[in-house]
Amino acid sequence: MANPSDDAGPTDPLKGITSTNTPAQNKIDRGTANAARCAQHSQVPELLDHVGTRNVARDLDILRATNSNAKLNYLGVSYGTRIGAIYADLFPGHVGRVVLDSAVDPSKREIDSITETVAFKEGVLRQYVEHCQAQDGCPLTGSTDEAVAQLAAFVDGLDKNPLTAPDSDATINTQDATAIIQQHAVAQPNWDALTAMLTPAMTNHDGTLMVKAKQNSSDLSPETTVEEVVSQANEQIMLAAVICNDNSDTDSTASDWDAQTAAEKKTYPFF
């Protein structure tokens, strides 16, 4: 798995992979390099080929058998519901009492689930924009579509010209700003606070309030110890490995993915 001694560093193993601004071939190359590094630091290099959900379900049945249980009683939440559904599909005769909460549809492709999530977040963001524009001093102008595009362009430019704060060495790049906006607009809505942050950021390139938001949020603040960095890196890489094993797409080309990204960017310009 990730190793703190790697030259590439484990702090952001999916950098350039999750961004919609990165060409698909670059994502493929980075993912291939991550897979090689993960295999290099795994006790069983072939492990990556067996980390899909169906393998997890098979492991569950082994645990059931080793405990001499005729049936598996199972509680699954979120992704755990996918494990439970696939277990029931593979071993229907071994299913006991099962509760699946916040179910994930196992028949859906990962890309379809992601698109649904993006559509939801984009819809909430549009509601925020309308709320902002109804207040005095909102930095977003024009129609809702124009305002969302304006916000997206501003955030996309922060990698080249990050926000800074006079009393801190911390900066706000595109990833930071996206996370802050998502948190305050969608995940834990605080629309007035978000407007208060965006107004100086977009009018004076003053990132003081956004930097404070980043520093005050455990979800947005970077890990501070080697153990935390490695733990998050391993979690991200393993999540990517599970998704790839469950939803392998060997028919599409990098050009196909770039075209799909471009089309979705028009529909969902921010997220």
Side-chain angles (χ1 to χ4, degrees), residues 176-196:
D176 296 327
T178 301
I180 291 170
I181 292 170
Q182 175 174 296
Q183 183 180 49
H184 287 78
V186 182
Q188 298 174 330
N190 191 338
W191 289 356
D192 291 338
L194 179 56
T195 299

Side-chain angles (χ1 to χ4, degrees), residues 244 247-253 257:
C244 286
N247 303 274
S248 59
D249 184 356
T250 56
D251 296 327
S252 299
T253 66
W257 292 333

Side-chain angles (χ1 to χ4, degrees), residues 162-172 205-212 215:
L163 291 170
T164 59
D167 56 349
S168 174
D169 293 331
T171 61
I172 300 294
H205 211 71
D206 180 354
T208 301
L209 294 180
M210 277 199 161
V211 166
K212 287 183 179 179
Q215 293 172 334

Side-chain angles (χ1 to χ4, degrees), residues 74-85 98-108 113 116-117:
Y74 182 82
L75 168 63
V77 178
S78 189
Y79 168 70
T81 67
R82 182 179 178 90
I83 298 174
V98 174
V99 176
L100 303 180
D101 185 8
S102 305
V104 174
D105 186 345
S107 67
K108 281 187 178 179
S113 298
E116 286 183 1
T117 300

Side-chain angles (χ1 to χ4, degrees), residues 154-163 172-174 205:
F154 168 74
V155 170
D156 285 345
L158 294 180
D159 277 342
K160 291 184 178 179
N161 188 19
L163 291 170
I172 300 294
N173 60 19
T174 296
H205 211 71

Side-chain angles (χ1 to χ4, degrees), residues 14-35:
L14 299 187
K15 182 179 181 181
I17 293 179
T18 55
S19 171
T20 57
N21 297 321
T22 304
Q25 189 58 54
N26 291 14
K27 296 182 181 183
I28 293 170
D29 294 342
R30 182 64 187 268
T32 301
N34 278 345

Side-chain angles (χ1 to χ4, degrees), residues 67-78:
N67 282 284
S68 301
N69 294 325
K71 303 285 185 180
L72 176 72
N73 297 321
Y74 182 82
L75 168 63
V77 178
S78 189

